[in-house]
Amino acid sequence: MKWAAWALLALAVGCKETSSPADGPRDAGPRVGRFDLPPTRDDTRFVKIRNLLREPPESTNRATKLYPLVAPVCTDSAAREDFLEVAEWSTSFSTEENYLPTQLAIDTIEHVATACFRTGPDGALALLEGAEKFVTSPRLDVIRARLLAAREDFAGAEAAARRAMEAGSIHAIALTANIQAQRARDGREGYEPGMLSEAIATVSVEPDGKWQAIDLTAVLSTHARLLAERAVWETGDAEKKTLLEAAGIYRRLSVSPFIAAIRTRALDNLCFDAEIVAAPDACQRAAVETLNLGAAVRAKVPLDSGGFDTKRHAALEEMKAKLASLERGAVVLWIARGDESELLEWVRPAAELLEVIAKKKVRVVVVDRTSTKRASRLVDRMFELAGAEPTRRIDAQRDTFAMPCITAILADRRTPTACPLDDATKKALESMRPFGVGVLVGRDLDGELDDLRLYELPSLLLSFRQSLSKKGPDAWLKSVSDVHLFAP
């Protein structure tokens, strides 16, 4: 099973369904003033699980007791029926004014179904089917859609998501679009014109003023992300048209009531494409409001005005000077790791950086550590957009010994015994000198950074995630607008 599909859906639209008028009131827990929980049956599996879920995730009590209670529901029909019977009893205490008992029951069912799905998907779906007999809520279809999408049953997932959407769940709009996009990508390694049109149309609806902020965020963020994905594969007027459409959404996401993380990413994207989308104030705002270094340099905001990471800026300036001084024929190691969703936003910024590097007539060796064929295709797209050709490409997706071998050879050290490279590749690398820089794009690149650091080879990281490597990279681009430091 490919968990990346499920992870992408969770990342794009959030892990919890939120209420809409069709769902009933939503609350994070049982403390809601005059509303009380129903009398408890403390000795029942359902109530024990529900109460444990009220404890913080880091609770030792929750960590040790929760899963042993959940596991039988996944595989034992009798335990599942008993769980559902008490859940139905709990929901009977709901009224029009106090929907909390049903809300908590659905929360509990969702957690158990999700946990069961990892080891017993049939039990998880049976649990949802049983719950549908006494709970009328589009959330159950939302949960079903996520589970079916994780099993790559995209047709079933879309049908469930559509039912939830038609029942009034705003959250299901983004979920439906993400599933439609997954169906369109399935079986394709790249992009075909129009393949995302249906998904984009689904999230092109306008809010009616009653949407909750979290639902609005999910719909707008999904819409912007799908447009950004399409733009990666387009060129010329088509690309500009898509980027202008995306910019309109980023402008909406760059102000309140959206949370800081959403505003920061929206301004970052606007600043990166400021000239294309005619957003002259985007970099100024990104610099002042989010302390974006690349935006500050682009907007000529003084870095001594307070709050900017001047240490990181100094490291980036030093790396810029190093790239400018690369001699002809020097080796640039271009390392990419992650899945499609993790690499997508970096394709166009990375291509701009690559274009600057390629002008130095260096030899670029690609180390492909991506996890899917579609992600690997995005690495190719970086080179297409940069108008560059790699000198050599090494496919090392799951080979943990490839990178240590590559760095050892390029550092002119002894080749490890466990080196998985073929003789032709070894010989080619041995002839490449001097080493210039290692550019790492994506996420979870700590191992690759450590391999470079072992031989004191300089490194430049392009990632939204800070490295957990002990020494880290020599320089770090943490936002797409940071590329403005290298490609004005």
Side-chain angles (χ1 to χ4, degrees):
M1 180 181 300
K2 295 180 181 177
W3 291 99
W6 195 9
L8 175 59
L9 295 177
L11 178 66
V13 299
C15 296
K16 281 284 188 182
E17 161 69 336
T18 56
S19 65
S20 68
D23 298 331
R26 171 77 175 176
D27 188 82
R31 303 185 192 87
V32 287
R34 62 189 180 85
F35 291 158
D36 298 318
L37 288 173
T40 61
R41 296 180 180 177
D42 291 332
D43 59 335
T44 65
R45 188 181 305 276
F46 171 84
V47 171
K48 288 178 180 178
I49 292 173
R50 187 192 69 187
N51 290 342
L52 283 170
L53 290 175
R54 294 169 59 192
E55 297 185 16
E58 62 272 17
S59 163
T60 302
N61 188 49
R62 170 173 167 160
T64 56
K65 294 181 179 179
L66 182 56
Y67 188 71
L69 286 168
V70 169
V73 182
C74 307
T75 56
D76 188 326
S77 59
R80 189 158 52 244
E81 288 300 320
D82 176 70
F83 176 90
L84 288 168
E85 181 183 345
V86 181
E88 182 176 9
W89 163 82
S90 180
T91 62
S92 69
F93 291 87
S94 281
T95 65
E96 289 186 4
E97 289 187 342
N98 181 8
Y99 190 74
L100 181 61
T102 295
Q103 186 65 63
L104 292 176
I106 298 174
D107 287 346
T108 307
I109 291 166
E110 177 177 11
H111 179 90
V112 173
T114 303
C116 287
F117 192 79
R118 299 187 184 106
T119 54
D122 292 337
L125 295 173
L127 180 64
L128 293 178
E129 186 176 347
E132 287 170 349
K133 296 176 181 178
F134 58 88
V135 172
T136 303
S137 170
R139 276 191 66 198
L140 293 181
D141 270 324
V142 166
I143 300 166
R144 181 186 297 277
R146 288 195 183 120
L147 299 186
L148 292 175
R151 198 162 65 173
E152 297 188 343
D153 178 1
F154 296 124
E158 184 179 349
R162 280 190 175 278
R163 286 196 300 271
M165 186 169 63
E166 291 165 1
S169 172
I170 305 304
H171 189 83
I173 297 173
L175 180 58
T176 301
N178 275 287
I179 293 170
Q180 289 170 333
Q182 280 295 93
R183 290 187 70 182
R185 299 183 193 106
D186 195 35
R188 295 183 173 97
E189 292 185 13
Y191 176 81
E192 295 177 11
M195 64 178 274
L196 296 176
S197 297
E198 184 181 22
I200 290 172
T202 297
V203 283
S204 295
V205 295
E206 280 296 317
D208 61 5
K210 298 179 181 179
W211 291 14
Q212 292 191 9
I214 193 169
D215 292 324
L216 181 60
T217 301
V219 173
L220 292 179
S221 297
T222 300
H223 192 181
R225 185 175 182 83
L226 290 172
L227 290 170
E229 178 179 352
R230 188 173 73 185
V232 162
W233 298 101
E234 295 176 324
T235 57
D237 291 341
E239 178 194 24
K240 183 176 181 180
K241 181 179 178 182
T242 297
L243 291 175
L244 283 168
E245 189 176 347
I249 301 170
Y250 286 133
R251 286 189 183 93
R252 295 172 70 174
L253 290 170
S254 70
V255 296
S256 295
F258 301 105
I259 62 174
I262 296 293
R263 298 197 306 270
T264 297
R265 187 64 65 86
L267 283 170
D268 186 23
N269 281 283
L270 277 174
C271 177
F272 175 71
D273 285 320
E275 287 188 5
I276 298 176
V277 301
D281 67 329
C283 292
Q284 176 79 19
R285 287 186 57 205
V288 174
E289 297 175 25
T290 71
L291 300 177
N292 185 309
L293 274 180
V297 171
R298 179 68 177 270
K300 296 181 173 55
V301 174
L303 297 183
D304 59 3
S305 58
F308 288 100
D309 189 344
T310 53
K311 183 177 180 180
R312 187 169 71 87
H313 177 250
L316 287 168
E317 286 294 317
E318 187 175 339
M319 179 58 67
K320 181 179 178 180
K322 181 171 186 59
L323 294 182
S325 65
L326 287 175
E327 61 183 87
R328 186 185 184 95
V331 181
V332 172
L333 202 57
W334 191 272
I335 308 147
R337 182 168 184 169
D339 63 25
E340 181 181 12
S341 65
E342 293 156 356
L343 287 172
L344 189 65
E345 285 186 79
W346 282 109
V347 173
R348 294 174 57 245
E352 289 206 9
L353 176 64
L354 179 60
E355 185 176 357
V356 171
I357 292 173
K359 288 178 180 178
K360 304 299 293 182
K361 304 300 181 182
V362 295
R363 290 177 288 186
V364 183
V365 176
V366 174
V367 181
D368 187 347
R369 296 277 285 141
T370 58
S371 55
T372 66
K373 290 182 178 180
R374 289 188 59 81
S376 183
R377 182 68 185 88
L378 288 176
V379 180
D380 295 335
R381 187 61 176 161
M382 294 176 191
F383 282 81
E384 291 170 1
L385 292 174
E389 287 283 343
T391 304
R392 197 167 194 92
R393 184 188 179 102
I394 301 173
D395 294 320
Q397 280 79 2
R398 297 183 180 277
D399 201 324
T400 56
F401 295 105
M403 187 66 186
C405 180
I406 293 166
T407 51
I409 294 174
L410 291 176
D412 204 16
R413 303 296 178 88
R414 179 181 297 177
T415 303
T417 305
C419 182
L421 304 180
D422 59 68
D423 290 340
T425 301
K426 290 180 188 176
K427 188 175 181 180
L429 293 177
E430 287 168 358
S431 68
M432 295 183 185
R433 297 292 184 275
F435 187 86
V437 65
V439 180
L440 305 98
V441 188
R443 62 181 283 183
D444 299 331
L445 287 154
D446 294 339
E448 287 76 8
L449 277 169
D450 287 340
D451 291 329
L452 290 165
R453 279 292 192 183
L454 179 63
Y455 303 110
E456 298 182 344
L457 301 176
S459 57
L460 172 62
L461 176 66
L462 283 69
S463 180
F464 295 120
R465 287 193 173 189
Q466 183 171 8
S467 170
L468 297 178
S469 176
K470 187 175 182 180
K471 292 186 177 179
D474 291 285
W476 174 32
L477 297 176
K478 62 181 291 187
S479 69
V480 296
S481 294
D482 282 343
V483 173
H484 287 320
L485 291 162
F486 296 87

